[in-house]
């Protein structure tokens, strides 16, 4: 049996259960030039001009926004565009062309 049902408005609704995704989740468009890490989350669409997308390639990393990369283990980019968090446990919270390379 599926843990999802369709409500009266046509939305898929999950049962009130925990879900485990060992590899990761991509919400939006998949970026083919990304080697996704394990236990990652990517949210966003491909950039209309460059075709680039978000790439959480570090294990346990998160990339939101547009054309952002989170390559460090446990690194995060939570918004903006063309940002890069490459250091372990590093984070960029937004803006454009920012980098976090330390630990």
């Amino acid at each position: 049996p599926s843990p999802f049902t369709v409500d009266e408005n046509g939305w898929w609704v999950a049962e009130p259960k925990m879900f485990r995704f060992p590899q990761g989740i991509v919400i939006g468009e998949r970026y083919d030039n990304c080697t996704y890490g394990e236990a990652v989350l990517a949210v966003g669409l491909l950039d209309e001009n460059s075709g680039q997308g978000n790439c959480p390639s570090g294990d346990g990393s998160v990339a939101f926004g547009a054309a952002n990369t989170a390559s460090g283990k446990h690194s995060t980019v939570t918004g903006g565009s063309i940002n890069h968090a490459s250091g372990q446990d590093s984070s960029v919270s937004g803006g454009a062309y920012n980098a976090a390379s330390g630990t």
Side-chain angles (χ1 to χ4, degrees):
S2 174
F4 300 98
T5 57
V6 179
D7 71 9
E8 63 276 0
N9 297 313
W11 284 77
W12 284 94
V13 180
E15 294 179 17
K17 306 277 185 190
M18 292 294 296
F19 291 86
R20 184 172 174 265
F21 298 94
Q23 188 61 45
I25 299 173
V26 175
I27 298 173
E29 294 179 299
R30 179 178 178 220
Y31 182 37
D32 288 335
N33 290 332
C34 180
T35 302
Y36 291 89
E38 293 184 29
V40 298
L41 175 60
V43 178
L45 302 173
L46 297 178
D47 182 79
E48 294 176 2
N49 298 317
S50 69
Q52 292 181 321
N54 291 321
C55 183
S57 58
D59 291 346
S61 65
V62 173
F64 296 169
N68 291 315
T69 302
S71 60
K73 186 174 184 178
H74 307 136
S75 63
T76 62
V77 179
T78 55
S81 60
I82 315 170
N83 295 305
H84 191 95
S86 61
Q88 181 172 328
D89 304 320
S90 63
S91 182
V92 174
S93 61
Y97 301 99
N98 293 303
S101 57
T103 58

